[in-house]
């Protein structure tokens, strides 16, 4: 078969999302909640820098584990016994990661990194076992072996973190996460065969986003602790509107604009979602901070601005995977930039009122939601 632009696609049936994948994702809801709890450790109205860095690292670690697992299932998964055992083992190990996610992380350093390392070893072994099925496909064999090496190398770095930290006080964990990201990108750039089922990948990513929204909805329950007051009702209504608007914006892009039949490795699409999911986690924490008088206003404002702009920036970057007729024009992009700048400016202008902040956030979210809705209707109408 003739190769086009050095890319060929393996013929295979469309992959469906299996029930076991959904059960596996449920464990991540627990771990996401544990990660978000890190930011509730406040000193003098501010989250400590060390704790915030631990939060970023733990969040990226969890998203990376999920991404590695999803890519393996997408490309090589057969919904067989070996796949099931691999997932169940990693599900169990994720509980140790969740339990080890705490502000005093030094106390659980060993269990966290042993569990993390074993998860990577488990995934790496799946790639090496898969080699026996790819002996007559040299291109696929090479890229499968390459990804297995990336996972095993990161696993060694993770498993060495505890003894190195005890001996020197230096953590290898950030370097391990960075190595995994770079290694996966290099692996993707060298792949000559497109094995990824993009429709399956987009659905898996969408489901992870939905579970992240689920954690956000659970967090809203904190507004009703101690009974319902006018103040708590105001913030809960605003927050609920924000969650709904964020979800509808994502739904509009996913359901109507993304070309799920596109032939692509999907690596950049998944990378974009790492930042999108990270932004959603920050939004969840920011919303829970809004009614907490123990948190200084400045970090609340900055977290809201950063998280919303990161979320929408990531969401609109996914439009590079949109249908040809749905590619945004300069005018649409200009409106989005204007809305973002106006939102940030108004948030800083009214920096002394959390009631105004939450209302501005809701207005911004629904403004973008309506822009997307109009863009979708106009685009589809022009191509009917």
């Amino acid at each position: 078969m003739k190769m086009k632009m050095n890319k060929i696609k393996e013929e295979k049936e469309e992959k469906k999302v299996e029930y076991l994948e959904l059960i596996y994702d449920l464990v991540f809801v627990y771990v996401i909640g544990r990660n978000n709890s890190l930011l509730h450790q406040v000193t003098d109205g501010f989250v400590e820098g060390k704790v915030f860095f631990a939060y970023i690292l733990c969040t990226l670690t969890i998203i990376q584990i999920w991404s590695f697992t999803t890519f393996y299932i997408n490309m090589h998964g057969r919904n067989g016994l070996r796949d099931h055992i691999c997932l169940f083992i990693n599900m169990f190990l994720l509980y140790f990661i969740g339990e080890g996610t705490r502000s005093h992380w030094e106390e659980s350093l060993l269990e966290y990194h042993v569990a993390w390392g074993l998860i990577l070893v488990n995934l790496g072994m799946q790639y090496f076992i898969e080699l026996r099925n790819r002996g007559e496909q040299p291109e696929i064999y090479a890229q499968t072996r390459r990804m297995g090496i990336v996972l095993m190398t990161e696993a060694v770095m993770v498993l060495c973190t505890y003894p190195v930290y005890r001996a020197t006080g230096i953590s290898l964990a950030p370097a391990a996460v960075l190595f995994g990201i770079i290694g996966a990108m290099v692996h993707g750039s060298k792949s000559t065969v497109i094995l990824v089922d993009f429709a399956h990948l987009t659905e898996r990513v969408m489901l992870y986003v939905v579970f992240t929204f689920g954690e956000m909805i659970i967090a809203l329950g904190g507004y009703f602790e101690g009974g319902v007051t006018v103040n708590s009702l105001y913030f809960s209504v605003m927050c609920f509107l924000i969650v709904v608007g964020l979800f509808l914006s994502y739904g509009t892009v996913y359901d109507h604009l993304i070309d799920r039949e596109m032939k692509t490795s999907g690596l950049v699409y998944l990378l974009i979602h790492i930042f999108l999911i990270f932004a959603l986690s920050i939004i969840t924490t920011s919303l829970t901070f809004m009614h907490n008088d123990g948190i200084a206003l400045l970090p609340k404002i900055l977290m809201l601005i950063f998280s919303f702009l990161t979320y929408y920036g990531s969401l609109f970057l996914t439009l590079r995977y949109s249908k040809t007729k749905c590619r945004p024009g300069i005018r649409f992009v200009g409106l989005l930039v204007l809305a973002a700048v106006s939102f940030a400016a108004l948030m800083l202008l009214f920096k002394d009122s959390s009631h105004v902040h939450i209302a501005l956030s809701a207005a911004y979210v629904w403004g973008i939601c309506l822009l997307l809705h109009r863009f979708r209707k106009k685009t589809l109408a022009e191509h009917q």
Side-chain angles (χ1 to χ4, degrees), residues 194-228:
I194 299 178
L195 293 175
V196 171
D197 185 322
F198 191 57
H200 174 268
L201 181 65
T202 55
E203 186 174 3
R204 290 289 290 114
V205 172
M206 178 272 294
L207 291 170
Y208 192 96
V209 171
V210 168
F211 285 130
T212 308
F213 272 112
E215 173 61 26
M216 188 180 294
I217 291 173
I218 292 171
L220 292 183
Y223 284 101
F224 299 97
E225 293 178 358
V228 178

Side-chain angles (χ1 to χ4, degrees), residues 51-239:
V51 173
F52 188 73
F53 179 76
Y55 166 78
I56 294 176
L57 182 61
C58 290
T59 301
L60 291 177
T61 297
I62 292 305
I63 297 175
Q64 188 181 79
I65 289 172
W66 182 89
S67 301
F68 285 154
T69 307
T70 298
F71 257 107
Y72 172 78
I73 293 175
N74 185 284
M75 294 187 294
H76 304 296
R78 295 176 174 82
N79 195 31
L81 180 61
R82 177 162 59 85
D83 293 340
H84 293 178
I85 293 174
C86 173
L87 282 181
F88 282 130
I89 290 174
N90 283 356
M91 285 172 64
F92 181 73
L93 290 171
L94 280 167
Y95 280 105
F96 290 96
I97 288 183
E99 175 58 27
T101 303
R102 57 183 69 185
S103 57
H104 302 292
W105 50 268
E106 295 93 342
E107 300 174 1
S108 55
L109 193 67
L110 179 60
E111 65 182 79
Y112 189 101
H113 287 86
V114 169
W116 179 11
L118 290 177
I119 288 172
L120 293 173
V121 169
N122 189 5
L123 290 170
M125 286 300 300
Q126 301 311 306
Y127 276 92
F128 285 119
I129 293 173
E130 179 64 24
L131 292 177
R132 65 186 183 183
N133 299 319
R134 305 294 183 174
E136 298 180 358
Q137 301 168 302
E139 297 92 348
I140 299 177
Y141 185 95
Q143 64 191 56
T144 302
R145 179 175 177 273
R146 189 165 55 244
M147 190 59 198
I149 292 173
V150 169
L151 288 166
M152 286 301 192
T153 304
E154 183 179 354
V156 171
M157 296 175 68
V158 171
L159 292 173
C160 288
T161 296
Y162 180 78
V164 170
Y165 181 79
R166 289 304 181 195
T168 66
I170 298 174
S171 174
L172 297 179
V177 172
L178 185 61
F179 174 83
I181 294 173
I182 295 175
M185 292 180 66
V186 172
H187 158 74
S189 67
K190 291 184 176 182
S191 298
T192 57
V193 180
I194 299 178
L195 293 175
V196 171
D197 185 322
F198 191 57
H200 174 268
L201 181 65
T202 55
E203 186 174 3
R204 290 289 290 114
V205 172
M206 178 272 294
L207 291 170
Y208 192 96
V209 171
V210 168
F211 285 130
T212 308
F213 272 112
E215 173 61 26
M216 188 180 294
I217 291 173
I218 292 171
L220 292 183
Y223 284 101
F224 299 97
E225 293 178 358
V228 178
T229 64
V230 174
N231 190 59
S232 67
L233 186 61
Y234 170 76
F235 277 100
S236 62
V237 169
M238 290 295 110
C239 287

